[in-house]
Amino acid sequence: MIQQPVNTPNSHTRPTTATIDLEALAVNFRKSREFMGRDLKYMAIVKADAYGHGAVDCSRRLETEGVDWFGVAMPEEGIELRRAGISRPILCLGSFWPGQEELILENGLTPVIFSEDPARRLNEFARGRGRITDIHVKLDTGMGRLGVRPEAVPDLIHLLRGLKNLRVSGLMTHFASAENPAEDDFTEHQITTFEQLCDGFIESGFKPEIIHLANSPGAVRHRRSQSGMVRLGGALWGLLDDILKDAPERPELTPVMSLTSRISDIKRVPKGETLGYGRTFTTNRDSLIASVPVGYADGYPRSLSNKGKVSIRGRKAPVVGRVSMDWTLIDVTDVTDAAVNDEVFLIGGYGTSAIKATDLAGLIGTIGYEITTRISSRVPRMYK
Ligand SMILES: *Cc1c(COP(=O)(O)O)cnc(C)c1O
């Protein structure tokens, strides 16, 4: 299914496109489910436009595949899914902001609650509408970001018992370092703390239906966190090669996004000349230099200047000079028969010449998630 104009050389658009392989996405979900267990529930994390892959199209496919829940960062993202017809429950991981209570109720979104004021406000609003609305309570077991700290849990329980228009349908926590074997003691401690805090809720009369802890690395590496529901982002997008590179057992996942363009121009540049802004590259031989219409405004990082590699005609070729806003230069001297209009894989490709987002990330000190989420809206997404 193609939602965007296809960028063939004959079409009238710039040929820079992110292609999203929905089949690979479905396979990644199935393989994760085989690996983690069929008795679990699965939340697909589709925040930040599904890590840049397009939340609507990816969620539709995942809903068909049997994903139980969707996780977004904020209500706006949840509403986008509702408008697109997604009917499974949607968890707003970052809660909601003052004034969004109505959006939560009207769109049937489930907010995460980690502080008292939003709980009071939502309860008040729901009471005015004669409704009882579901929330998931987030407990901070060591991430130190969102979540109620253990010592504050008794007060929160006391408060929630009085808020009759809220129903605590879920309890959750989030791992700080589940990917790192050196932190396994800490992660196991987070799990134990969470279990104890959950017991506290249950002893106080709450009946949460779903308990969830694990992100992708947790669900792959920590058996004890494979309970209730797991929240998968990176596993679905096939972006765990850097985060989990040392995990001996993990599902075999395929990157879902490729980023392609085409060579716009090729020039012969004699030895000893400089290329691009800042003159950061000097040719050390007579070279063939290709201009490709992609730049940091498309989310191709400027920090890949003189570092990145692309794949053309099944060969890797280096980025030379500075990546600029709209253009990147490639040394194609060693790519036999390189020609204008050749397809350029900035991410993706075939066989040994394929470029992974996680590889690019490694070159510039980040993770694959940051590479794909930053592919900008100027780049059309094409679905296959
Ligand atoms: C983003 C996020 C996830 C998903 O993490 P991955 O590493 O991409 O699987 C899970 N839970 C929460 C609370 C998150 O914010």
Side-chain angles (χ1 to χ4, degrees):
M1 187 174 26
I2 290 164
Q3 266 81 18
Q4 299 281 355
V6 188
N7 291 314
T8 65
N10 302 324
S11 75
H12 303 283
T13 54
R14 185 181 70 143
T16 302
T17 309
T19 302
I20 309 302
D21 185 345
L22 293 174
E23 194 55 35
L25 172 61
V27 170
N28 287 345
F29 171 56
R30 289 179 215 146
K31 286 192 175 167
S32 299
R33 192 170 48 186
E34 288 308 318
F35 186 91
M36 295 159 197
R38 290 194 155 263
D39 44 341
L40 292 176
K41 284 194 186 303
Y42 286 84
M43 177 183 287
I45 303 296
V46 294
K47 62 196 182 196
D49 206 21
Y51 297 38
H53 295 68
V56 163
D57 292 85
C58 291
S59 300
R60 282 183 179 143
R61 179 60 190 261
L62 289 166
E63 195 168 55
T64 315
E65 291 294 322
V67 158
D68 302 284
W69 277 74
F70 292 94
V72 296
M74 52 204 210
E76 289 86 337
E77 294 177 337
I79 291 164
E80 187 192 11
L81 295 186
R82 285 286 181 254
R83 292 201 173 129
I86 296 294
S87 60
R88 295 276 162 93
I90 298 174
L91 189 67
C92 298
L93 298 166
S95 199
F96 60 95
W97 275 266
Q100 292 187 318
E101 297 81 5
E102 181 160 16
L103 292 177
I104 294 283
L105 258 70
E106 296 314 309
N107 290 281
L109 305 175
T110 307
V112 169
I113 293 289
F114 44 79
S115 54
E116 297 193 350
D117 268 0
R120 286 201 193 88
R121 264 189 281 117
L122 189 63
N123 183 71
E124 200 53 31
F125 191 87
R127 196 162 61 95
R129 296 289 165 100
R131 298 258 301 266
I132 293 177
T133 194
D134 284 0
I135 60 169
H136 286 199
V137 172
K138 184 162 191 178
L139 306 168
D140 181 5
T141 57
M143 173 68 176
R145 193 180 60 176
L146 308 180
V148 182
R149 292 183 59 86
E151 64 271 19
V153 164
D155 280 353
L156 182 74
I157 287 182
H158 180 75
L159 172 75
L160 289 173
R161 289 177 74 163
L163 301 180
K164 301 293 183 201
N165 293 75
L166 299 185
R167 194 174 75 100
V168 180
S169 63
L171 295 173
M172 67 183 288
T173 191
H174 194 35
F175 292 136
S177 208
E179 66 283 355
N180 185 354
E183 299 282 4
D184 280 353
D185 286 349
F186 187 82
T187 304
E188 292 296 316
H189 181 70
Q190 282 197 270
I191 299 173
T192 304
T193 307
F194 181 63
E195 288 170 352
Q196 288 164 353
L197 293 171
C198 288
D199 287 347
F201 271 84
I202 291 162
E203 281 156 20
S204 305
F206 291 95
K207 296 186 179 64
E209 290 156 11
I210 314 174
I211 297 221
H212 46 109
L213 318 77
N215 51 3
S216 299
V220 171
R221 294 198 57 252
H222 294 271
R223 292 255 158 226
R224 281 175 72 207
S225 74
Q226 295 171 346
S227 74
M229 180 160 70
V230 292
R231 304 186 301 264
L232 303 185
L236 298 175
W237 318 116
L239 290 176
L240 297 183
D241 284 345
D242 47 3
I243 301 175
L244 285 183
K245 59 177 173 297
D246 300 324
E249 280 181 53
R250 54 183 175 134
E252 204 184 295
L253 306 167
T254 314
V256 171
M257 178 191 288
S258 35
L259 177 65
T260 55
S261 187
R262 287 182 186 274
I263 295 177
S264 284
D265 191 27
I266 296 189
K267 289 193 292 197
R268 276 186 190 286
V269 180
K271 179 178 175 178
E273 295 207 8
T274 61
L275 302 174
Y277 284 126
R279 308 181 65 212
T280 62
F281 184 89
T282 305
T283 50
N284 59 7
R285 57 179 174 174
D286 291 350
S287 303
L288 277 180
I289 304 297
S291 308
V292 180
V294 64
Y296 60 79
D298 301 297
Y300 191 73
R302 186 173 177 274
S303 48
L304 285 172
S305 301
N306 294 309
K307 281 190 183 161
K309 292 220 177 351
V310 305
S311 171
I312 304 172
R313 291 182 181 255
R315 301 225 23 188
K316 285 192 185 178
V319 170
V320 286
R322 289 257 169 85
V323 172
S324 59
M325 194 179 292
D326 312 308
W327 293 95
T328 296
L329 299 176
I330 308 295
D331 183 345
V332 294
T333 316
D334 296 328
V335 180
T336 315
D337 296 333
V340 168
N341 258 335
D342 276 359
E343 185 169 49
V344 178
F345 282 94
L346 300 130
I347 300 173
Y350 305 100
T352 51
S353 76
I355 311 284
K356 288 181 176 167
T358 48
D359 296 336
L360 295 182
L363 294 173
I364 58 174
T366 184
I367 57 173
Y369 296 7
E370 188 177 359
I371 301 288
T372 63
T373 53
R374 296 183 73 171
I375 300 303
S376 75
S377 58
R378 190 165 84 171
V379 178
R381 269 60 171 177
M382 200 184 89
Y383 295 89
K384 71 166 191 194

